[in-house]
Amino acid sequence: MKPEKRKQLFLIGIFLAILLAEGVTHTTMDLMKNQRPVAADLFLQVPSQENLRNYEENLEEGSWLVQNLRPVMQVLRFAVLGDLGKKAVAGREGWLFYDLGIQYLTERSQPVRPGESTPDEVVEAIVSFRDRLAERGIHLLVVPAPGKASVYPEMLTARALNLDHPVNVRTLQLLEQLENEAIELVNLFDLYQSEKNKDSISGPNNLYLIQDTHWSPKGMEMAAEKVANRLQELGWVEKGNTDYGLKEVPLSRHGDVIRMTQIPGIDDWYEPETIQASQVVRKESGEIYADDPHSEILVLGDSFLRIYEHDEPGSGGFVAHLARDLGKPLTSIINDGGASTLVRQELYRKPEMLAGKKVVIWEFVERDIRFGTEGWQDVPLPDANQEI
Amino acid sequence: MVFTSHIFLFYFLPFVLFVYYLLPRGRNFFLLCASYVFYGWWQPWFVFLMFFATWVNYLGGIAITRPGATGRSRKLALTLSVGVSLSLLGFFKYFMFLENNLNDLLALLGSENFSIYVVTLPIGISFYIFQSLSYSVDVYRGESPPVRSFFDFACYVALFPQLIAGPIVRYNTIADQLVERDHTVQKFSSGTALFILGFAKKILLANPMGEIADSVFAANSPATIDAWFGVTAYAFQIYFDFSGYSDMAIGLGRMFGFEFLRNFNAPYLADSITDFWRRWHISLSTFLRDYLYIPLGGNRKGTRRTYLNLAIVMLLGGLWHGASWVFVIWGAYHGALLCFERWRGKESLYNSLPRPVRVAITFVLVLFSWVLFRSPDIQQAFDFFGAMFGVLKPEGGSILLAAELYTRGHLVLMAICAAFAFQPLQAFDWAPTITWKKMVILILLFLVAIMMMFVQAFNPFLYFQF
């Protein structure tokens, strides 16, 4: 055989071996598990567009090769190119940001992809919810939580150092639109900005966590205090007489942005962030804070409410601190990433949650204005007769 | 089905290759069946549309070459098959465009709009309609004999390697191969090499460049430097995406014994727009030349008519890419530049400058056209030009784009793209001979690209939409 032909055959052989590797390993693994080879599923269903897409997806996601090589490639990509994947963006000095939060700030106001919401849809949904609650004599207080990149753009890119204009113009316009519609809201943007302008801000005084999308205990406590003050200013809630105290709990944790990368072993590349959180406890009994379903205040929101409350240390999040500031327990519906529509759908399914309520506080993160899961649907309130 | 998908790479391709080489005869019929499965994988019902277009042109061919056919009946048969084919293309590709424009016009006149009848664009329709047409025209002109078998013809129209995004294979370049073709180890190995190179171009270069381009083109008034960075990334994306697809198509063709003509020849080394069109999507520009420009009279009917013909060809070429005014303007822009260079004797205005400068200027002129090509509408295209020239200042959060754009990975890949785009050696020329060194490179590239495919989201080829 000529050397030229030997090389050509060798290349063809390796190429075909690579092509066959997946089918052979996948089928062998299926047979070893006494399962029907997944490739055979194709012939057991009607070849509709949907079935074909599902079949293709199952084939890929169930692949042994994909499952084992994907993590290797993720690590390689991170080690060689510093690539954190689609969901995370590295900022300055170890700060990490959630990509969707940045997209919200950088992209055009009109939806770029299907399923994205327009500011008008957001306003309509909020006004409709406010009006429906008002019919039942319930007040609505809206609390948009600033995205991390809105508060700390300079930690994302040096270009934003000494910036003379806000990076979240669209959100500020939306707040203005809501105010024009007489929606009561708490502006945390101004609060954080003025806090940041104080010279002392640094390190433990950060309002957001360095490796996480969420606010720090300090940022969260400031938000809770501001909301409590606003409720009392409006005269919607009177200060209660439950005496809550604080129990300091030091935490050491990796942020959710690190987890989002799904890069195996990435924890080893980043030092955990040390945080001083505080649990809310009843002063007289030392019992940690717990929601009271009979409370006159219902809080709806997303993972900004979940952090420190359901996560460690527990009972140390926004809801607990708001309860402490108001001197009375609250009740809450929390859905990660689902503050735009899913929390209201959950409320619709749980009529008892609305029984006896005077105030609903609705928190949602800024990026949900555009990217809220399931958009900003008009969701009815549960039937009043079912509330009790 | 997409070449860079799990199912194609690990199931469809090995199965089809295996059965194809086992079959002692009926290989074209098997390739036809495989091609219909490949095409129907996206939307099964559209296979019938392709079958209908094939059948019409096949019958047209029979009518044109029927013994005793008069000149008039031959012309009628040609007109019918071309008319039906173009009607299909017109309805599926341009009907909604027409509806939208009529509505805009009605709104302008203060009349009420009508509801839009939504038509789904069958993937690859522009390519297979052009290919079917080329058969009828070639047979009419006597440049090709009529096919002996319907299945051979249907195999030519549906041939999966080049079905969805070209290169446009003209019937007269493949007629003989449909009847008889060589299957050699050399051809298969060079096809393998070309397929791997195309696959790597798409996965390792085009897709990451696409991420950059998507971020910048979605941004609300990007900064000047970001806009230039973004459009350059798009220029690399579209080149490596499309030329990668063409390499894979030609490579797959070779694996099945076919030899398709090259579709790209270092287009970003062009030193004028005329030169660019000799190097970019060669199968489309030669198709338009032979089936539109020359029948219109080419340059044989005087200077004015030559310019008019050039303009018509480029406008229709633009419209062929998509039913949108941005494509029309894109075609007009290239048409105007070509006319200008024709007026100067096929020379650019900057012809006297050193070649690197000519190449750079041509690249920038092409970048402007990519802004039109990538923008969803005219307004956004002009906004983007505004950003490129600093007329529109960055607003709000658009300055934050820097964090997404100028990462180590993006900068390294951008440099690699530039290094490959601005050098003359092309995959098409590199693949035919295999050395041990080349083999190591190819195998490593293939493995890395496959692993990278596992971590990338679904990313269809850009030219699928055309």
Side-chain angles (χ1 to χ4, degrees):
Chain A
M1 191 188 288
K2 285 182 183 171
E4 191 65 29
K5 195 165 187 178
R6 196 178 305 142
K7 288 174 209 160
Q8 291 162 355
L9 280 172
F10 193 77
L11 177 66
I12 295 169
I14 300 267
F15 176 71
L16 293 177
I18 293 171
L19 295 193
L20 287 168
E22 154 61 10
V24 172
T25 49
H26 206 148
T27 307
T28 310
M29 304 290 267
D30 286 343
L31 291 174
M32 279 168 63
K33 289 183 210 157
N34 286 327
Q35 290 174 352
R36 184 180 59 236
V38 71
D41 290 353
L42 178 62
F43 305 101
L44 302 174
Q45 53 195 346
V46 179
S48 66
Q49 199 176 5
E50 191 188 350
N51 286 345
L52 292 174
R53 291 296 80 73
N54 290 337
Y55 172 77
E56 198 174 344
E57 202 179 314
N58 292 341
L59 200 62
E60 187 171 347
E61 289 310 313
S63 157
W64 181 88
L65 271 184
V66 172
Q67 285 169 3
N68 287 279
L69 291 180
R70 185 182 279 162
V72 175
M73 197 61 203
Q74 284 171 320
V75 171
L76 271 177
R77 220 165 51 155
F78 174 63
V80 177
L81 298 173
D83 191 341
L84 290 167
K86 280 224 168 274
K87 290 187 175 173
V89 176
R92 300 169 60 230
E93 298 172 22
W95 281 59
L96 297 175
F97 291 81
Y98 181 34
D99 186 58
L100 213 54
I102 301 170
Q103 268 185 44
Y104 168 74
L105 297 173
T106 57
E107 290 186 351
R108 285 187 294 272
S109 55
Q110 288 312 306
V112 176
R113 289 161 285 269
E116 294 176 4
S117 306
T118 63
D120 289 345
E121 288 167 354
V122 180
V123 173
E124 270 176 41
I126 293 174
V127 168
S128 162
F129 190 51
R130 187 268 315 269
D131 293 345
R132 287 176 196 273
L133 287 171
E135 284 171 16
R136 308 258 179 109
I138 303 170
H139 298 292
L140 174 69
L141 183 66
V142 174
V143 186
K148 183 171 162 182
S150 287
V151 181
Y152 287 103
E154 72 281 4
M155 299 316 293
L156 178 60
T157 165
R159 253 195 209 171
L161 288 166
N162 307 318
L163 197 64
D164 58 358
H165 63 266
V167 292
N168 58 344
V169 179
R170 189 185 311 156
T171 308
L172 301 180
Q173 284 168 349
L174 183 92
L175 298 190
E176 215 175 290
Q177 262 181 287
L178 290 173
E179 277 167 352
N180 291 340
E181 295 287 344
I183 297 287
E184 285 299 340
L185 53 87
V186 172
N187 187 333
L188 297 177
F189 300 88
D190 290 348
L191 176 76
Y192 288 167
Q193 195 52 50
S194 57
E195 182 67 16
K196 264 187 75 188
N197 290 342
K198 292 179 187 169
D199 290 337
S200 62
I201 191 87
S202 69
N205 287 327
N206 286 333
L207 301 168
Y208 279 71
L209 298 175
I210 291 172
Q211 304 169 350
D212 203 283
T213 45
H214 301 101
W215 44 30
S216 65
K218 176 179 170 139
M220 176 270 297
E221 285 168 27
M222 284 175 63
E225 189 184 341
K226 173 100 175 171
V227 170
N229 290 342
R230 185 71 187 136
L231 285 171
Q232 287 170 70
E233 274 168 29
L234 289 164
W236 290 355
V237 176
E238 282 176 15
K239 178 118 179 159
N241 49 18
T242 309
D243 210 4
Y244 288 111
L246 294 177
K247 183 179 152 196
E248 298 294 312
V249 184
L251 298 176
S252 178
R253 65 196 288 280
H254 282 105
D256 65 347
V257 183
I258 289 187
R259 283 200 306 278
M260 283 179 208
T261 65
Q262 296 183 326
I263 297 169
I266 192 169
D267 285 2
D268 300 336
W269 295 70
Y270 286 90
E271 284 287 316
E273 203 172 344
T274 307
I275 307 160
Q276 196 65 34
S278 48
Q279 267 184 322
V280 175
V281 294
R282 281 182 182 260
K283 267 189 181 163
E284 76 273 21
S285 62
E287 212 181 318
I288 60 168
Y289 167 80
D291 272 8
D292 175 7
H294 302 297
S295 167
E296 60 187 7
I297 304 168
L298 169 65
V299 190
L300 307 177
D302 53 26
S303 55
F304 275 71
L305 304 191
R306 188 250 306 142
I307 191 166
Y308 316 120
E309 190 77 25
H310 295 172
D311 297 349
E312 54 177 356
S315 298
F318 177 87
V319 177
H321 279 269
L322 180 59
R324 175 177 170 265
D325 293 332
L326 291 172
K328 56 175 75 175
L330 319 174
T331 189
S332 58
I333 297 178
I334 300 174
N335 187 313
D336 272 17
S340 58
T341 290
L342 299 182
V343 282
R344 286 177 296 135
Q345 287 177 338
E346 198 173 331
L347 175 63
Y348 178 75
R349 289 192 299 271
K350 293 179 177 172
E352 71 282 0
M353 296 290 282
L354 212 53
K357 295 295 175 285
K358 286 184 181 168
V359 174
V360 171
I361 299 165
W362 185 11
E363 174 277 332
F364 56 84
V365 67
E366 189 181 10
R367 65 172 179 274
D368 275 4
I369 292 170
R370 179 170 194 151
F371 299 119
T373 311
E374 303 288 325
W376 289 80
Q377 297 173 23
D378 186 17
V379 181
L381 292 181
D383 189 344
N385 298 326
Q386 294 178 2
E387 282 180 11
I388 301 171
Chain B
M1 218 178 274
V2 184
F3 292 164
T4 51
S5 68
H6 192 86
I7 191 146
F8 177 82
L9 205 59
F10 297 122
Y11 291 89
F12 182 85
L13 182 58
F15 173 78
V16 173
L17 280 171
F18 181 72
V19 176
Y20 179 86
Y21 278 97
L22 271 186
L23 288 174
R25 63 178 73 86
R27 285 175 168 177
N28 283 355
F29 181 70
F30 173 69
L31 272 183
L32 169 66
C33 297
S35 299
Y36 280 166
V37 170
F38 176 88
Y39 188 70
W41 195 261
W42 171 67
Q43 170 54 276
W45 293 107
F46 281 137
V47 171
F48 294 105
L49 182 70
M50 182 161 59
F51 183 83
F52 177 68
T54 308
W55 183 71
V56 165
N57 281 282
Y58 175 71
L59 288 185
I62 289 176
I64 290 166
T65 55
R66 186 171 47 90
T70 62
R72 201 173 156 189
S73 66
R74 291 175 70 241
K75 205 167 197 171
L76 181 69
L78 176 71
T79 310
L80 276 175
S81 54
V82 170
V84 171
S85 302
L86 289 180
S87 302
L88 288 177
L89 186 62
F91 176 73
F92 283 98
K93 194 157 181 173
Y94 302 106
F95 187 70
M96 275 179 65
F97 179 59
L98 195 71
E99 285 181 306
N100 283 321
N101 280 291
L102 267 177
N103 259 343
D104 289 346
L105 194 67
L106 287 174
L108 213 65
L109 298 171
S111 303
E112 253 185 52
N113 281 3
F114 56 88
S115 59
I116 298 284
Y117 179 72
V118 177
V119 180
T120 309
L121 178 68
I123 202 165
I125 189 169
S126 311
F127 287 94
Y128 74 72
I129 289 286
F130 267 33
Q131 294 201 163
S132 331
L133 276 180
S134 81
Y135 167 73
S136 298
V137 175
D138 287 351
V139 167
Y140 178 80
R141 286 174 175 171
E143 289 174 5
S144 299
V147 281
R148 290 187 212 160
S149 140
F150 172 75
F151 293 125
D152 282 356
F153 178 60
C155 174
Y156 153 71
V157 175
L159 199 57
F160 77 85
Q162 42 68 247
L163 168 64
I164 291 175
I168 300 167
V169 177
R170 289 152 60 173
Y171 181 71
N172 61 20
T173 65
I174 203 178
D176 294 342
Q177 299 175 46
L178 282 167
V179 180
E180 196 176 348
R181 55 188 177 270
D182 295 333
H183 298 86
T184 65
V185 171
Q186 193 278 334
K187 205 186 236 184
F188 197 110
S189 68
S190 73
T192 302
L194 211 41
F195 179 85
I196 291 173
L197 292 171
F199 184 77
K201 276 185 185 180
K202 165 69 178 164
I203 297 285
L204 300 178
L205 301 178
N207 288 352
M209 288 300 105
E211 285 175 18
I212 300 175
D214 287 350
S215 297
V216 177
F217 277 88
N220 181 32
S221 66
T224 299
I225 187 172
D226 298 348
W228 283 95
F229 192 72
V231 72
T232 306
Y234 182 66
F236 291 147
Q237 180 197 7
I238 196 165
Y239 170 55
F240 288 114
D241 188 288
F242 192 20
S243 73
Y245 189 93
S246 295
D247 290 342
M248 292 168 86
I250 296 168
L252 285 168
R254 284 183 188 169
M255 289 181 207
F256 294 102
F258 291 99
E259 194 58 64
F260 305 145
L261 299 177
R262 78 187 300 158
N263 208 20
F264 287 88
N265 190 9
Y268 292 147
L269 283 183
D271 64 354
S272 68
I273 294 298
T274 308
D275 189 23
F276 175 77
W277 279 104
R278 285 189 204 115
R279 296 162 176 264
W280 179 272
H281 202 173
I282 299 166
S283 64
L284 176 68
S285 45
T286 52
F287 186 98
L288 291 173
R289 182 195 65 200
D290 295 346
Y291 295 94
L292 188 59
Y293 178 70
I294 291 173
L296 283 171
N299 58 2
R300 303 184 310 274
K301 294 189 174 177
T303 317
R304 276 191 192 172
R305 184 63 189 265
T306 302
Y307 296 145
L308 180 68
N309 290 342
L310 263 179
I312 291 172
V313 167
M314 291 315 291
L315 274 176
L316 290 178
L319 207 53
W320 175 86
H321 281 90
S324 161
W325 287 110
V326 280
F327 290 117
V328 176
I329 298 177
W330 176 83
Y333 171 80
H334 274 285
L337 289 174
L338 284 174
C339 286
F340 182 74
E341 289 183 0
R342 175 66 68 119
W343 173 66
R344 289 181 50 85
K346 290 196 178 180
E347 275 186 3
S348 63
L349 188 64
Y350 42 90
N351 195 46
S352 56
L353 299 172
R355 181 168 162 77
V357 181
R358 296 201 306 272
V359 169
I361 295 174
T362 306
F363 183 68
V364 172
L365 290 173
V366 171
L367 283 187
F368 295 152
S369 76
W370 290 144
V371 172
L372 293 162
F373 206 82
R374 176 62 180 76
S375 299
D377 55 51
I378 297 170
Q379 178 62 50
Q380 286 184 34
F382 281 95
D383 285 351
F384 201 90
F385 283 126
M388 284 173 80
F389 291 102
V391 179
L392 292 182
K393 297 292 171 204
E395 275 177 16
S398 56
I399 60 153
L400 304 181
L401 262 183
E404 287 194 320
L405 299 185
Y406 308 112
T407 63
R408 193 194 330 157
H410 284 166
L411 293 173
V412 167
L413 287 171
M414 188 70 126
I416 292 172
C417 283
F420 279 112
F422 295 108
Q423 57 84 40
L425 183 59
Q426 299 292 291
F428 192 87
D429 306 310
W430 191 82
T433 52
I434 304 296
T435 62
W436 290 114
K437 193 175 152 191
K438 281 186 181 180
M439 189 156 19
V440 172
I441 293 171
L442 287 167
I443 292 167
L444 282 177
L445 259 184
F446 196 38
L447 289 174
V448 172
I450 285 174
M451 284 168 69
M452 189 61 108
M453 182 181 84
F454 291 160
V455 296
Q456 284 179 352
F458 174 69
N459 228 323
F461 289 87
L462 285 179
Y463 259 66
F464 277 20
Q465 59 188 300
F466 309 131

